[in-house]
Each structure stands twice: as C-alpha cells, then as structure tokens.
Amino acid sequence: MKDELFLRGARVPMTKEVVRTQALDRLQLQHATHLIDIGAGTGSVSLEAAIRYPQLQVSAIERNPDALALMVENRQLFNCPNVEIISGYAPVELNVMADAVFIGGSGGQLTELIDWSLAHLHPAGRLVMTFILQENLTCALAHLEQCAVSEVDCLQLQVAQFTRLGSGHYFKPNNPTYLISCLKEGSHD
C-alpha cells in the first residue's frame, strides 16, 4: 500500500512503505490468525496486514492519543473491523497468544517488550522489530542472544526517493531503518 493512502498526523510515526513491506514479509502472516502490533502509530502495519490477510485478527497497541485517533480514522477509512485498537503503554495486560508480533515503537522499554512479545507468541511464532536508533538495534541484538529464539536476521534498509530539485533531480534519503526478525523456539503442536 502506498504511504499516501494513509491519513497522517504531524507528530504521529508511520512505518513507511518499503520498511512495512519487508516487515510484513518477515512476519509470514499467510497462515496466521493473530498479530500483535506494538507502537502501532498510524496503524499502517496493522491495517495493511488486516487487508492482505482478512482471516487475521490484529491487536494494535498505542499510547499516543493523537496516534490513537488517527488509527481509528484509518481503520474506518480502510474498513478493517478485524483490527482491535488498544490504548495503553506496552507491555499491556493481554490474555491472548499470537502467531506474530511486530514492534514498531518501544517507548524506552525494549527488553521488556521483547520478553513480553516472546511470552505472547505461540511456539515457532515470529517476532519482527524496526528501529532507527543504533542503540535500540544494539540492545535488541544483545538481548535476543539471551532469549529462546532462532533464525535471527537483521537488515539495514536505506531508501532514497527520486525527487525534483530545480531543473534536475536527486535522491532524497530517508533515515536508515534496522529490521530484526526471529522465530520463537519450539514447534506448533
């Protein structure tokens, strides 16, 4: 889905199209029934997942009131009743298990969110995280070494858009984004 399709807020973060595509690919939602999206922002990951996979139930957790309001509008715009919006500071009380968890924002509690995510994942469930801060990348990779996970993969995505400047063009860069994906150890019953 193109970024321009989503309603945007001035200070509401959004996982951009190229990063979102990579994250959704690594979440492997084809046969999933439940996705948890932590730090959902505008809801771009939750909503695109819900549209691509209509069988999927999505729990989108967000704490920012502006982002929550925007996510409600985007959910209505895309007619996604399978996206449940949860207002709260993650980790939140949630009595469900998921096939996949996406962490798009950590609010300074990254290791706690990784542990909470793994506790809420079925065995062989997927955890995918994105960061723009080098410190978060380093922290996540170090913490995952102590967790019961396998298939840890890490990408740095550097995207630039072809943009007009005067009578010419240049590539306007976006911030580099780090994407980590891994599999919770164990197997489906």
Side-chain angles (χ1 to χ4, degrees), residues 7-146:
L7 300 175
R8 300 285 307 272
R11 305 230 357 117
V12 176
M14 181 172 101
T15 302
K16 303 290 189 303
E17 179 183 350
V18 173
V19 175
R20 188 171 60 248
T21 300
Q22 291 293 320
L24 288 168
D25 182 56
R26 281 163 175 68
L27 285 165
Q28 297 185 4
L29 300 171
Q30 299 86 336
H31 304 292
T33 58
H34 195 180
L35 165 68
I36 299 172
D37 180 358
I38 301 171
T42 60
S44 65
V45 171
S46 292
L47 294 164
E48 184 162 347
I51 290 167
R52 278 194 197 182
Y53 307 102
Q55 84 287 356
L56 190 66
Q57 179 62 39
V58 181
S59 299
I61 304 168
E62 178 56 53
R63 66 182 184 178
N64 177 331
D66 293 336
L68 287 161
L70 201 53
M71 202 182 330
V72 168
E73 289 182 58
N74 276 318
R75 180 178 63 183
Q76 184 176 357
L77 175 68
F78 295 111
N79 189 26
C80 291
N82 52 332
V83 175
E84 175 191 17
I85 298 171
I86 300 168
S87 174
Y89 286 76
V92 298
E93 184 75 28
L94 199 59
N95 295 318
V96 295
M97 296 295 286
D99 302 295
V101 175
F102 175 71
I103 301 176
S106 64
Q109 298 191 50
L110 183 54
T111 57
E112 294 89 341
L113 290 177
I114 291 171
D115 293 342
W116 182 92
S117 297
L118 293 172
H120 285 80
L121 273 174
H122 292 295
R126 296 215 157 268
L127 172 61
V128 174
M129 303 170 271
T130 58
F131 313 104
I132 59 171
L133 296 178
Q134 180 74 46
E135 291 81 3
N136 284 345
L137 171 68
T138 303
C139 176
L141 289 171
H143 190 68
L144 287 173
E145 287 182 11
Q146 305 167 33

